[in-house]
């Protein structure tokens, strides 16, 4: 059977329209009036459906499909009927991996040298994908694919993440996805997420009490979308990108899934690592001569952890294992749906088990609220506190993470973890490819070096599509990845991707023809320790991957010339792909002004209006570690008022100015552990008035307390104390809302449903500093005009 030649020239996208040739008649009834029927755009014949599943923060040694303790039957099912890759690599961090995956270019080439929250003005770190490097979804859409993304998007520059956009980097606008349902940012509350449908904020369709869970919701939407797509356009292939927030912290999962692992991790991470290593060899996942790398001194041995803490530590891993199995189950629902549609044989599936190594961002003790560590306040979570919360790990009342020790064990047999781009523990992720129509071998393994930038060119080659030279009128730079299609039919094929640099926060390495030269510059969980050494003082290591699968035998002292050659090669690649200048700054990169990225906030005042919401911390003036005033122009009905005037953050940290029982109130919530409340002495006066909350910061460093004064117009109405504050971040997913509170609530005195203010809010203004007089309306107008 022969197929008709493709009539489209597809290197220029959109494909230029061609005017019909032939006779143009005067009267449509003329028998010579002939036009060809309109033919909807489709890819070349035989182009498969495509499903990419990208899990979050799963180390190589976690999934049972790669010898780990967490049961993943869906991954095992696909591996048994497809190919497993045991030398597939990511970038060591979430946003960079995703940007590389969706573009086919190295992460620095598309501006994503780290996460968006630490973007700088340097080209390799500005979080801006150049328009010369169009995303894969756009290329597929313009070639006739239906495209949809479900889940996490961490590639939107922080100054473009507000409700006003611009939306160029959002999936359903400039990203090429016709459908997006998910969240923007690095992580989200699995029980109560901040969701978007396209660019429109939407609320979850259920509550935790009703059985809602984000991963299940994402799977529901993905399955429904695929069914509808095949029902309405059966001849049109789809591209679905399923990227759940799982298993990124917080590790949220229904208790019954965690309880399946009760008692299985009581022996600790050192023993678990030995078990996983033995299982990996038994399954043939790793070579028979592979070595188990040593534990570094920065990682405490299980036997040296406090005995009182060990039950909590074991529970942390039980919750994580249940979380991963639960996630794999939802992926299975997508696979079942595709099979029920009769499309499984014609669907190219990538199941990438992790966007980097397992996350070691939870301290050695783990965390009930991971934001404690990000604020340098992990000491608040004492052993006694963690024990008191042990039964709540994974529940809606937690924002939990597991210990560094478990992250290290989940990266067996390699050194290190997420963020450490130098070593395979940070970048080597088990990956499965399933495509019955395109892969004849079943249950086989592939050992060629491959990288996340190879996925896009593989899909284009499988679909018979050329790499575009122009997209939307912009000439395109070449794709930097190498198609993996050559490996599908030949396990022994010589690897074609034989040179690859790695870099993240100064941790860096180079792979070349089996060899790797690497240097670890900083430790991920050491946020408050001494600064890392100068880059030139970093100690490099050398490994021969042809005989040393796990980077266990450092040959740097034996082969200094080889090491020097690879170091020079790393430098050349770094210059080529905008890795330089290296940047290991921390506090400076948090500040937009010092980092050189745009900000929506200018000056020391911000005017907000009722109904505004879903404002990330990057969209609101920063009130941390300083005095500030909140002034609101409100109308109180004769019956009194209740509800939120302004709230920032949520259950796991934040603050709120609200009215309860017709009394003005202020609550400051430190990490969900300590709550400081101030209540006015008298009821709110009826009619239109200005109410204020002034917080006078004690000073003397970060995270200090302060004095609270409440005002009705110019009259003091109540005072109180806040003994401690959060110095760095309130939440990665909760937002600021005016006149109501979305997500979880800062305090228990109201619910999300009852948070809407029952009076009228005209405006709310935040002012930094100790000047807290009533706001003059003309001054308010001048501030508004100055901000325009």
């Amino acid at each position: 059977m022969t197929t008709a030649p493709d009539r489209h020239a597809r290197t220029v996208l959109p494909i230029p329209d061609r005017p019909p040739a032939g006779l143009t008649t005067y009267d449509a009834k003329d028998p010579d009036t002939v036009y060809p029927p309109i033919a909807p755009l489709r890819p070349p014949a035989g182009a498969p459906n495509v499903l990419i599943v990208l899990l979050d923060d799963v180390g190589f040694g976690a999934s049972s499909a790669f010898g780990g303790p967490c049961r993943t039957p869906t991954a095992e099912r696909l591996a048994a009927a497809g190919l497993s890759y045991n030398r597939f690599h990511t970038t060591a961090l979430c946003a960079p991996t995703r940007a590389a995956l969706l573009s086919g270019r190295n992460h620095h080439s598309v501006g994503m040298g780290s996460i968006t929250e630490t973007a700088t003005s340097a080209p390799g770190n500005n979080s801006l994908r150049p328009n010369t490097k169009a995303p894969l979804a756009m290329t597929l859409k313009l070639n006739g694919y239906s495209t949809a993304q479900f889940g996490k998007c961490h590639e939107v520059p922080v100054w473009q993440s507000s409700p006003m956009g611009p939306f160029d980097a959002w999936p359903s606008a400039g990203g090429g996805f016709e459908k997006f349902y998910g969240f923007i940012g690095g992580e989200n509350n699995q029980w109560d997420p901040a969701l978007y449908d396209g660019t429109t904020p939407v609320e979850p369709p259920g509550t935790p009490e009703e059985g809602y869970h984000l991963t299940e919701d994402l799977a529901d939407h993905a399955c429904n979308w695929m069914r509808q797509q095949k029902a309405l356009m059966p001849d049109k292939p789809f591209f679905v990108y399923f990227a759940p927030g799982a298993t990124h912290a917080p590790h949220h999962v229904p208790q019954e899934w965690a309880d399946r692992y009760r008692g299985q991790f009581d022996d600790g991470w050192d023993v678990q690592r030995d078990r996983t290593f033995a299982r990996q060899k038994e399954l043939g996942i790793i070579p028979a001569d592979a070595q188990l790398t040593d534990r570094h001194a920065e990682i405490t041995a299980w036997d040296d952890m406090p005995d009182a803490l060990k039950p909590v530590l074991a529970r942390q891993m039980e919750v994580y294992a249940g979380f991963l199995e639960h996630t794999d189950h939802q992926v299975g629902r997508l696979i079942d749906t595709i099979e029920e549609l009769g499309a499984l044989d014609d669907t190219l599936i990538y199941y990438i088990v992790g966007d980097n190594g397992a996350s070691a961002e939870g301290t050695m003790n783990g965390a009930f609220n991971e934001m404690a560590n990000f604020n340098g306040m992990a000491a608040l979570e004492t052993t006694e506190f963690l024990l008191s919360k042990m039964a709540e790990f994974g529940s809606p009342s937690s924002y939990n993470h597991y210990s560094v020790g478990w992250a290290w064990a989940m990266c067996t047999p390699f050194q290190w973890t997420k963020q450490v781009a130098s070593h395979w523990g940070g970048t080597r992720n088990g990956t499965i490819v399933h495509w019955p129509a395109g892969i004849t071998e079943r249950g086989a393994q592939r050992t060629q070096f491959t990288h996340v930038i190879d996925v896009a060119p593989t899909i284009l080659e499988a679909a018979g599509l050329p790499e575009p030279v122009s997209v939307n009128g912009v000439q395109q730079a070449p794709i930097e990845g190498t198609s993996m299609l050559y490996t599908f039919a030949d396990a022994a094929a010589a690897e074609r991707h034989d040179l690859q640099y790695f870099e993240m926060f100064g941790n860096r390495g180079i792979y070349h023809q089996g060899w790797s030269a690497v240097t670890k510059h900083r430790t991920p969980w050491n946020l408050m320790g001494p600064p890392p050494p100068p880059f030139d003082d970093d100690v490099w290591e050398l490994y021969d991957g042809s005989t040393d699968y796990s980077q266990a035998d450092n040959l740097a002292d034996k082969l200094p010339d080889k090491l020097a050659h690879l170091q020079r090669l790393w430098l050349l690649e770094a210059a080529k792909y905008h890795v330089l200048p290296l940047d290991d700054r921390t506090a400076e990169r948090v500040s937009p002004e010092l980092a050189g990225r745009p900000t929506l906030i200018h000056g020391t005042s911000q005017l907000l209006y009722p109904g505004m919401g879903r404002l990330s911390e990057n969209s609101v003036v920063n009130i941390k570690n300083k005095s500030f005033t909140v002034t609101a122009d409100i109308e109180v009905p004769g019956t009194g008022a209740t509800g939120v005037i302004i709230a920032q953050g949520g259950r796991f940290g934040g603050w709120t100015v609200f009215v309860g029982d017709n009394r003005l109130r202020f609550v400051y919530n430190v990490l969900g552990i300590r709550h400081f409340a101030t209540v006015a002495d008298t009821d709110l006066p009826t009619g239109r008035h200005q109410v204020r909350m002034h917080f006078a910061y004690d000073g003397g460093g970060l995270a200090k307390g302060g004095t609270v004064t409440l005002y009705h117009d110019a009259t003091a109405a109540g005072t109180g104390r806040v003994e401690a504050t959060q110095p760095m971040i309130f939440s990665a997913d909760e937002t600021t809302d005016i006149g109501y509170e979305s997500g979880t609530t800062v305090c228990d005195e109201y619910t999300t449903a009852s948070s809407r203010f029952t009076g009228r809010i005209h405006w709310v203004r935040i002012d930094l500093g100790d000047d807290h007089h009533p706001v003059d309306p003309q001054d308010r107008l001048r501030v508004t005009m100055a901000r325009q």
Side-chain angles (χ1 to χ4, degrees):
M1 178 180 177
T2 60
T3 58
D6 187 11
R7 64 186 180 89
H8 295 294
R10 299 178 183 268
T11 56
V12 175
L13 300 175
I15 298 169
D17 293 325
R18 296 180 179 180
L23 177 67
T24 299
T25 61
Y26 178 74
D27 189 338
K29 298 187 291 296
D30 188 319
D32 291 329
T33 303
V34 178
Y35 293 100
I38 296 173
L41 177 63
R42 296 291 185 265
N49 304 300
V50 179
L51 169 64
I52 296 178
V53 176
L54 180 66
L55 301 191
D56 204 335
D57 284 3
V58 185
F60 185 88
S63 162
S64 60
F66 291 89
C70 309
R71 291 181 287 272
T72 52
T74 301
E76 291 183 35
R77 168 190 171 190
L78 293 175
L83 303 176
S84 297
Y85 288 77
N86 72 348
R87 294 174 71 229
F88 182 93
H89 300 82
T90 56
T91 70
L93 200 60
C94 47
T97 289
R98 292 156 198 274
L101 170 72
L102 293 174
S103 68
R105 277 88 170 187
N106 287 299
H107 57 299
H108 291 90
S109 285
V110 288
M112 204 65 72
S114 67
I115 54 175
T116 56
E117 291 82 356
T118 57
T120 73
S121 55
N125 274 290
N126 61 18
S127 72
L128 294 168
R129 176 185 51 78
N131 59 10
T132 56
K133 297 169 184 177
L136 172 66
M138 181 66 73
T139 298
L140 294 178
K141 182 181 77 168
L142 295 177
N143 274 290
Y145 269 80
S146 295
T147 57
Q149 175 179 341
F150 302 92
K152 171 176 172 175
C153 174
H154 197 187
E155 304 93 87
V156 177
V158 290
W159 65 92
Q160 297 182 7
S161 63
S162 82
M164 294 310 297
F167 300 108
D168 300 352
W170 288 55
S172 59
F177 289 102
E178 296 164 315
K179 170 70 176 181
F180 170 63
Y181 181 81
F183 63 94
I184 304 296
E187 64 186 53
N188 224 309
N189 189 321
Q190 298 284 322
W191 300 111
D192 202 342
L195 291 170
Y196 289 88
D197 192 341
T199 60
T200 303
V202 294
E203 294 302 315
T207 65
E209 294 75 19
E210 295 168 337
Y212 177 86
H213 190 280
L214 174 58
T215 316
E216 298 175 13
D217 185 22
L218 296 174
D220 288 344
H221 278 78
C223 292
N224 291 338
W225 184 90
M226 289 188 294
R227 292 188 188 103
Q228 178 168 268
Q229 195 273 343
K230 285 305 175 193
L232 298 177
M233 299 180 176
D235 65 327
K236 186 175 185 177
F238 61 68
F239 170 45
V240 172
Y241 173 42
F242 186 75
T247 57
H248 196 294
H251 300 159
H252 284 161
V253 69
Q255 181 178 335
E256 60 268 22
W257 290 84
D259 287 348
R260 297 180 181 188
Y261 292 88
R262 183 77 71 176
Q264 293 187 27
F265 302 105
D266 291 352
D267 293 330
W269 42 73
D270 294 289
V271 170
Q272 180 56 56
R273 204 159 176 265
D274 290 337
R275 289 171 178 164
T276 297
F277 183 64
R279 181 64 174 160
Q280 288 171 333
K281 286 200 170 183
E282 177 186 340
L283 295 174
I285 298 298
I286 62 177
D289 60 356
Q291 301 176 61
L292 182 61
T293 55
D294 294 332
R295 175 173 40 77
H296 290 275
E298 292 95 325
I299 304 170
T300 307
W302 176 263
D303 288 344
D304 293 334
M305 295 298 291
D307 288 338
L309 188 60
K310 287 179 179 178
V312 178
L313 298 173
R315 185 56 178 172
Q316 291 170 4
M317 187 59 214
E318 292 168 5
V319 170
Y320 178 83
F323 192 23
L324 180 51
E325 183 176 356
H326 176 265
T327 304
D328 179 82
H329 179 77
Q330 309 313 316
V331 175
R333 293 175 53 209
L334 271 68
I335 307 304
D336 290 343
T337 297
I338 295 172
E339 187 171 36
E340 291 163 4
L341 293 169
L344 189 59
D345 286 354
D346 296 320
T347 300
L348 170 58
I349 299 173
Y350 265 89
Y351 193 162
I352 305 172
V353 190
D355 56 353
N356 41 244
S359 170
E361 296 153 336
T363 79
M364 280 308 308
N365 288 353
F368 185 70
N369 180 358
E370 66 161 346
M371 289 298 139
N373 187 38
F374 295 144
N375 280 283
M377 305 173 79
L380 288 176
E381 296 197 338
T382 63
T383 296
E384 293 73 23
F385 172 81
L386 292 171
L387 281 167
S388 73
K389 296 292 186 180
M390 194 168 104
E392 297 177 48
F393 272 77
S395 74
S397 64
S398 69
Y399 208 83
N400 53 305
H401 206 328
Y402 60 8
S403 166
V404 166
W406 291 124
W408 170 66
M410 293 304 102
C411 295
T412 303
F414 307 117
Q415 302 180 56
W416 301 112
T417 61
K418 175 184 177 180
Q419 293 193 28
V420 186
S422 51
H423 292 74
W424 298 148
T427 63
R428 186 163 285 181
N429 288 90
T431 294
I432 298 159
V433 179
H434 181 277
W435 184 24
I439 300 173
T440 57
E441 199 171 358
R442 302 287 186 265
Q445 185 168 262
R446 293 294 185 263
T447 60
Q448 292 91 346
F449 181 95
T450 48
H451 190 273
V452 69
I453 62 175
D454 299 337
V455 174
T458 305
I459 291 170
L460 292 181
E461 185 178 2
L465 294 172
E467 180 182 337
V469 298
S470 175
V471 176
N472 293 323
V474 179
Q475 184 173 344
Q476 295 296 291
I479 284 179
E480 295 161 8
T482 302
S483 172
M484 298 166 57
L485 205 69
Y486 75 98
T487 68
F488 289 2
D490 187 0
E495 69 184 25
R496 299 180 183 177
H497 190 151
D498 62 359
L499 175 62
Q500 179 62 48
Y501 82 89
F502 295 89
E503 192 278 334
M504 193 64 61
F505 301 125
N507 299 317
R508 55 205 189 275
I510 185 84
Y511 171 84
H512 185 226
Q513 296 179 351
W515 291 84
S516 60
V518 303
T519 181
K520 186 187 81 69
H521 179 68
R522 67 181 313 142
T523 303
W525 57 93
N526 189 14
L527 300 180
M528 308 305 293
F535 294 114
D536 287 345
D537 291 348
D538 287 333
V539 178
W540 283 75
E541 303 161 12
L542 176 69
Y543 299 99
D544 180 1
S546 66
T547 59
D548 181 10
Y549 173 80
S550 59
Q551 295 178 322
D553 185 11
N554 180 11
L555 302 175
D557 292 339
K558 297 178 181 179
L559 299 170
D561 291 343
K562 182 68 174 179
L563 176 61
H565 170 71
L566 290 176
Q567 287 175 302
R568 179 62 58 87
L569 194 55
W570 181 89
L571 188 59
L572 292 172
E573 292 295 287
K576 179 180 180 180
Y577 293 114
H578 304 297
V579 181
L580 302 177
L582 291 172
D583 194 343
D584 61 357
R585 296 174 299 165
T586 52
E588 296 91 338
R589 293 182 67 169
V590 173
S591 166
E593 293 80 10
L594 294 177
R597 62 177 176 269
T599 178
L600 298 180
I601 311 306
H602 303 279
T604 59
S605 294
Q606 186 172 20
L607 194 62
L608 304 165
Y609 292 96
M612 294 178 66
R614 290 289 187 86
L615 305 177
S616 70
E617 288 189 39
N618 295 288
S619 302
V620 180
V621 65
N622 183 6
I623 56 86
K624 302 177 191 73
N625 309 304
K626 56 180 71 76
S627 299
F628 70 101
T629 302
V630 175
T631 305
D633 187 334
I634 65 173
E635 288 186 41
V636 179
T639 56
T642 61
V644 169
I645 295 173
I646 181 173
Q648 181 175 45
R651 175 182 292 146
F652 306 104
W655 58 272
T656 176
V657 177
F658 68 104
V659 178
D661 296 327
N662 207 34
R663 297 281 178 101
L664 185 64
R665 301 167 188 259
F666 174 74
V667 170
Y668 196 105
N669 171 357
V670 179
L671 298 167
I673 300 174
R674 304 180 69 185
H675 293 74
F676 302 99
T678 302
V679 182
D681 299 326
T682 60
D683 288 353
L684 282 174
T686 59
R688 185 169 181 174
H689 298 273
Q690 285 186 16
V691 295
R692 281 181 292 136
M693 185 288 305
H694 178 66
F695 176 75
Y697 189 61
D698 290 341
L702 302 179
K704 303 302 181 181
T707 301
V708 177
T709 307
L710 302 178
Y711 292 86
H712 298 160
D713 295 314
T715 303
T719 60
R721 278 286 301 172
V722 173
E723 297 299 339
T725 57
Q726 290 182 216
M728 301 303 294
I729 184 174
F730 288 120
S731 174
D733 60 332
E734 300 276 7
T735 55
T736 298
D737 306 296
I738 311 302
Y740 72 105
E741 185 171 7
S742 63
T744 63
T745 56
V746 171
C747 63
D748 293 333
E749 297 189 45
Y750 56 85
T751 65
T752 302
S754 66
S755 67
R756 195 162 295 277
F757 188 67
T758 58
R760 181 182 178 186
I761 299 173
H762 291 274
W763 48 263
V764 177
R765 178 168 149 176
I766 304 174
D767 292 281
L768 303 182
D770 283 311
D771 186 5
H772 57 96
H773 57 77
V775 176
D776 182 281
Q778 290 302 313
D779 180 48
R780 175 174 61 83
L781 178 61
R782 286 193 293 270
V783 169
T784 303
M785 294 177 67
R787 288 178 55 81
Q788 292 178 347

